[in-house]
Structure formats: structure tokens, C-alpha cells
């Protein structure tokens, strides 16, 4: 049927898929976008990045209100109406997903709600309907890893369930101290839960600059979060009154809670679209392997976002989505950067890009490190914080930046200057000689470079 033919079809309407579909439409392609969800935006918009940020902002407000007494601002006891909080979060998601639908409509992108699976290299099944296509993009994302051996129990949540904000449990265990685990610890501790984070590795946020992680670790503890590192859960027992997590390692014993969140990573969803039928290679981790053009091993079939592996972050997916749309439309572009920024929107925020000190050492890369403590930043102190720092890793010969780690309020917003500096090959002098507005936290990046060059007067 002519109706069931697509010139350019995108499977999955998350940040990778919709960005790809919209870019292709802007390049003059006739585009079909398929997703089983009722609303566009994928995990990020519906049950990930955006709802978590709405809750994290609320957590920050709660903490500020609780701690403003010393500044002469008394709010009395802070109470939280969880239904209103949930409604605000859902309202933001609804507003953004409606916005996406209207952007799709204006571009004449045809939306099909359904589950797509390949039946051949140029054919698909969508909920029982046969389709043919000329080019396809797989953007079906990833799903939370589930720990084996846990009982089926509705008090055990993945990140999506945790963000539904069904209730605030009195006692909450979070297994996995990566970005999701730490963001959820920040939210639920502010809402009044007694939170225990159980992390398998030596430190929370494994792989991130250890000094920056120490700052976050201490801050979380001061927010009432208990953290057990080098600890694993060996068994879980569910009774009517509690979940009991038996732990082994640095902490050994039982953790009794009213709910538990599993946040131990995500698995690429390559397996769900029957890619084999099209001849597309999916590895044992569910990852669809692509080249720098986001092209799979089968000509005319592309893949973008989490389904192509780590790092599984929305901004990488969007970037790849644009590349796939452009390559498929005959443009000479490629996804070549390895520079993907990461931000944990905790309190304080933790943000990093490129090489950190530990990695530079491990990889035997010639480097120097310079830091600037935010305790010397007027803006930081004026905003009620004494913690935080900016740390830059640079090449002592070329003076180019190799990486940056920032911890402190708004670190995520500040990171972009460092990403741009690395992408543009900026030297320490370039940054030092760029006038930064005062008083801003961004000055800490300039001041760090001045410190490296020996021209600093602020320390
Ligand atoms: P993650 O890989 O960041 O962290 C998982 C953590 O769980 C790791 O610290 C790991 O050591 C630990 N772990 C694994 N198995 C364990 C076990 N059995 N017991 C205890 N700890 C265990 O994964 P995540 O936090 O689930 O996030 C999933 C993905 O989503 C990541 O790729 C992340 O980058 C992405 N994400 C990004 C953002 C953001 O950019 N702000 C927010 C949320 C999620």
C-alpha cells in the first residue's frame, strides 16, 4: 500500500529520534516517526531528564527554605504537598511533549503510534501493518538494568517508577551510586526519606575525579544520606512490613527499608526491533554498532542514541540524530567528538568533561592540574555556599585544556565554557585573557587559568 511506504522512517521518538526526524524534515525529506508512547520525547522527556530536574529544583527550594534562618529569613516548618509537586512535574512534561507534537506537525512529520520491528532490510512491521522504507534510523534507546534474584514487589522501583513520585517512603535504599542513584538520593532525602545508597565500587560516581566526588559525598551525608561504598546486596527479602537488603563488603549487615530503587545502569535496547531480520548487527549488550556516520552495517539503516552504547546521555543522542539525518540526506558530516559532557544534577552539582586527573595519570598522558577553590569566590559565598571547586587538566607544553571537573552550585551550567574551550583548542592564556563578568561562578575557570599562568591576584 502506498500509505505504508516511508522515504525516511525513524524508530523511537526520544531526543535522538525526534531530533533526527525534525532535521530530516527540515532537509526536505518525507518523514515518519514511530513510537509506542502516547507522547513524544522518549524516556528523557517523559520519565527521565525533565521530571527529575523538576523534582531536583523542588529539593533545592526545600533545602534553601530549611537553611535560610541564619540569613534572617524564617519560613517556619517547610511542608510538602506531594500531589501538587507531582502535578507540577507532570504539567512541565505535558507542556514540553505538546510542544514537540506541534513542532512535528509544523514539519509535516507523520507520527505513528506503535511498535516497529524489522521484517527485512527494507521492510518493517508496525503493530501488524507491513511497511516498506528507503532509509531507517533506529533510535529506540535503553532500559534500566534489573538486578537478578530480586523478588517481584511494587516497592522496588526503577528510575521511571521513582520519578512517578508515588509516595515518599520513610526509609529508602538506592542500589547504585551513579548519576541516577545520586540524583534520586538528593530528591528523596529532601522530601524527608531516610536514604541509604549502596554502591559496589570504591566511590560513588565511579570514574569521576575523586576530590570532586569527596565534596559531593560529604554534602550528601550532611543532607542525611547514608552511603555504603564497596558494598553489594547479596539477597533481598520482602515481607509485609519491609524490604530487607542483606549487604556484603565494606558494610555488612541488613538494611531494612520501605522501598528500594535499582539504579545500576541501563542496557541498550537493540534487541527490541528485530534488527537481525534486516541484517543489522546487535552485540551481546544490546548495542547496535555504528560508524562515525551513525551508519549500521546495512546501508540505509542508521542508529543513534543510547541504542548505540555509552555514554547514554540525551545530548549525545540529539547530536547523533542530526548527523544521521544529514548523512542520510547526502551531507558530508560525521560524529567525531569524544567530548561528551556529563552532569549529575545533585546538590552540589558535579560536572565533568574530557580527561580527569586520575585518567591522565593512568594513561600516562603528560599533564598538569590546576584548581580554584570556590571558597574564594564571592559569588559562591553570597549565594550561601562555601563548597565547590574548579579543576582543570591541561597540557604543560601546548597549554591546551584536556579536561575539566567542577563541583558546586550550577556546575553543570559552567561546564559548557570548558567544553567549548577544549573543542576550540583554547589555551590557558585564551581563557585568562577573556573578560569574565564579576561576580560570577564562571570566573573560577578564568581564575584557575590565571593561577596556572602565575598571574592570579585573587588568591
Ligand atoms: P551508572 O552507570 O551511571 O551508575 C550505576 C552505578 O551502579 C555505578 O556506580 C555502578 O558501580 C553501580 N552498580 C552496578 N551494579 C551494582 C550492584 N549490583 N550493586 C551496587 N551498585 C552497583 O547508571 P545509572 O545511574 O543507572 O544511569 C544510567 C544511564 O543514564 C547512565 O548512562 C547515565 O549517564 C544516564 N543518565 C544521565 C543523567 C544525566 O546526564 N544527568 C541522568 C540520569 C541518567
Amino acid at each position: 500500500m502506498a500509505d505504508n511506504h516511508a522515504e525516511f522512517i525513524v524508530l523511537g521518538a526520544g531526543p535522538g529520534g525526534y531530533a533526527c526526524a525534525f532535521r530530516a524534515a527540515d532537509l526536505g525529506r518525507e518523514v515518519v516517526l514511530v513510537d509506542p508512547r502516547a507522547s513524544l520525547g522518549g524516556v528523557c522527556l517523559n520519565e527521565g531528564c525533565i521530571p527529575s530536574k523538576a523534582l531536583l529544583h523542588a529539593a533545592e527550594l526545600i533545602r534553601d527554605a530549611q537553611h535560610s534562618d541564619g540569613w534572617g529569613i524564617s519560613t517556619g516548618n517547610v511542608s510538602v504537598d506531594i500531589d501538587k509537586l507531582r502535578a507540577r512535574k507532570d504539567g512541565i512534561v505535558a507542556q514540553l511533549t505538546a510542544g514537540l507534537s506541534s513542532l512535528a506537525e509544523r514539519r509535516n512529520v507523520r507520527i505513528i503510534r506503535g511498535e516497529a520491528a524489522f521484517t527485512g532490510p527494507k521492510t518493517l512491521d508496525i503493530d501488524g501493518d507491513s511497511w516498506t522504507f528507503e532509509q531507517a534510523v533506529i533510535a529506540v534507546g535503553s532500559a534500566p538494568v534489573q538486578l537478578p534474584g530480586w523478588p517481584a514487589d511494587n516497592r522496588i522501583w526503577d528510575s521511571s517508577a521513582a520519578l512517578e513520585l508515588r509516595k515518599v517512603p520513610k526509609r529508602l535504599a538506592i542500589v547504585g551510586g551513579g548519576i541516577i542513584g545520586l540524583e534520586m538520593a538528593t530528591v528523596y532525602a529532601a522530601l524527608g526519606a531516610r536514604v541509604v545508597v549502596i554502591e559496589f565500587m570504591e566511590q560513588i560516581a565511579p570514574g569521576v575525579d575523586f576530590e570532586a566526588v569527596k565534596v559531593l559525598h560529604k554534602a550528601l551525608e550532611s543532607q542525611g544520606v547514608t552511603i555504603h561504598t564497596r558494598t553489594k546486596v547479596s539477597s533481598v527479602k520482602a515481607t509485609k512490613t519491609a524490604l530487607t537488603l542483606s549487604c556484603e563488603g565494606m558494610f555488612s549487615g541488613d538494611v531494612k527499608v520501605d522501598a528500594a530503587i535499582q539504579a545500576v545502569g541501563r542496557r541498550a535496547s537493540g534487541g527490541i526491533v528485530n534488527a537481525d531480520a534486516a541484517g543489522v548487527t546487535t552485540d551481546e549488550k544490546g548495542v547496535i554498532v555504528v560508524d562515525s556516520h551513525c551508519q549500521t552495517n546495512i546501508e540505509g539503516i542508521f542508529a543513534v542514541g543510547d541504542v548505540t552504547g555509552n555514554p547514554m546521555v540525551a545530548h549525545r543522542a540529539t547530536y547523533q540524530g542530526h548527523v544521521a539525518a544529514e548523512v542520510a540526506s547526502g551531507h558530508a558530516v560525521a560524529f567525531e567528538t569524544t567530548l561528551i559532557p556529563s552532569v549529575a544534577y545533585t546538590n552540589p552539582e558535579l560536572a565533568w568533561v574530557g580527561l580527569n586527573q586520575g585518567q591522565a595519570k593512568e594513561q600516562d598522558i603528560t599533564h598538569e592540574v590546576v584548581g580554584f577553590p570556590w571558597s574564594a569566590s564571592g559569588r559562591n559565598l553570597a549565594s550561601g555556599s562555601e563548597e565547590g571547586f574548579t579543576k582543570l587538566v591541561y597540557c604543560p607544553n601546548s597549554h591546551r585544556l584536556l579536561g575539566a571537573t567542577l563541583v558546586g552550585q550550577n556546575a553543570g551550567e559552567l561546564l559548557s565554557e570548558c567544553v567549548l574551550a577544549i573543542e576550540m583548542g583554547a589555551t590557558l592564556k585564551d581563557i585568562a585573557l577573556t573578560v569574565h563578568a564579576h561576580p560570577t561562578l564562571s570566573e573560577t575557570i578564568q581564575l584557575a587559568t590565571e593561577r596556572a599562568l602565575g598571574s592570579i591576584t585573587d588568591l
Side-chain angles (χ1 to χ4, degrees), residues 48-49 52-53 56 142-145 147-148 150 159 163 174-183 197-207 228 231-233 262-267 306 309-315 341-346 350 352:
C49 323
S52 63
K53 299 308 112 35
L56 282 158
S142 60
V145 168
L147 288 164
W150 283 51
S159 55
L163 287 171
I174 299 178
V175 183
I179 296 187
I180 293 183
L182 299 177
E183 289 186 353
V197 173
I198 300 162
E199 165 59 49
F200 192 62
M201 302 291 281
E202 206 147 308
Q203 64 172 40
I204 52 170
H228 298 308
T231 300
K232 71 170 189 178
V233 176
Q262 292 187 351
V264 294
R266 298 182 67 87
R267 186 184 154 83
D306 287 10
N310 286 321
M312 295 188 186
V313 285
H315 37 283
S342 296
V343 182
Y345 298 88
T346 40
L350 181 58
W352 65 98

Side-chain angles (χ1 to χ4, degrees), residues 151-417:
D153 192 296
N154 64 9
R155 292 167 295 180
I156 297 171
W157 304 335
D158 60 16
S159 55
S160 305
L163 287 171
E164 282 175 17
L165 199 65
R166 295 176 194 166
K167 61 177 208 160
V168 179
K170 277 208 174 85
R171 302 163 299 177
L172 172 69
I174 299 178
V175 183
I179 296 187
I180 293 183
L182 299 177
E183 289 186 353
M184 288 304 93
T186 306
V187 167
Y188 277 96
L191 292 175
R194 271 211 320 275
V195 179
V196 180
V197 173
I198 300 162
E199 165 59 49
F200 192 62
M201 302 291 281
E202 206 147 308
Q203 64 172 40
I204 52 170
V208 183
D209 180 274
F210 73 101
E211 283 178 327
V213 169
K214 250 195 217 165
V215 173
L216 176 60
H217 188 122
K218 220 172 119 194
L220 284 168
E221 284 181 337
S222 75
Q223 290 160 31
V225 177
T226 303
I227 299 173
H228 298 308
T229 51
R230 276 196 263 161
T231 300
K232 71 170 189 178
V233 176
S234 47
S235 69
V236 180
K237 219 168 73 197
T239 61
K240 225 177 180 178
T241 52
L243 297 167
T244 305
L245 279 56
S246 301
C247 299
E248 278 174 13
M250 273 268 279
F251 170 78
S252 154
D254 288 351
V255 174
K256 261 195 173 118
V257 289
D258 306 298
I261 299 174
Q262 292 187 351
V264 294
R266 298 182 67 87
R267 186 184 154 83
S269 297
I272 67 173
V273 286
N274 199 28
D276 279 3
V280 171
T281 308
T282 309
D283 74 11
E284 70 288 350
K285 289 184 172 154
V287 170
I288 293 184
V289 184
V290 290
D291 62 15
S292 62
H293 298 113
C294 300
Q295 168 81 56
T296 67
N297 58 312
I298 298 295
E299 211 191 322
I301 302 184
F302 299 78
V304 303
D306 287 10
V307 76
T308 65
N310 286 321
M312 295 188 186
V313 285
H315 37 283
R316 171 174 169 268
T318 302
Y319 198 117
Q320 284 184 315
H322 286 179
V323 168
E326 290 168 15
V327 171
S329 308
H331 294 247
V333 294
F335 180 77
E336 278 177 339
T337 184
T338 50
L339 210 59
I340 308 291
S342 296
V343 182
Y345 298 88
T346 40
N347 186 356
E349 290 185 354
L350 181 58
W352 65 98
V353 69
L355 272 188
N356 68 33
Q357 187 174 8
Q359 291 162 338
K361 235 187 218 163
E362 253 170 52
Q363 295 169 33
D364 207 14
I365 291 170
T366 310
H367 71 282
E368 290 286 345
V369 178
V370 66
F372 187 87
W374 290 16
S375 53
S377 156
R379 182 61 194 271
N380 195 43
L381 298 183
S383 310
S385 165
E386 290 186 19
E387 64 194 356
F389 64 75
T390 293
K391 194 191 241 190
L392 306 178
V393 178
Y394 64 96
C395 169
N397 305 318
S398 67
H399 275 193
R400 288 193 177 178
L401 281 197
L402 302 172
T405 303
L406 293 88
V407 60
Q409 52 178 326
N410 288 320
E413 296 291 340
L414 303 188
L415 185 68
S416 296
E417 173 172 348

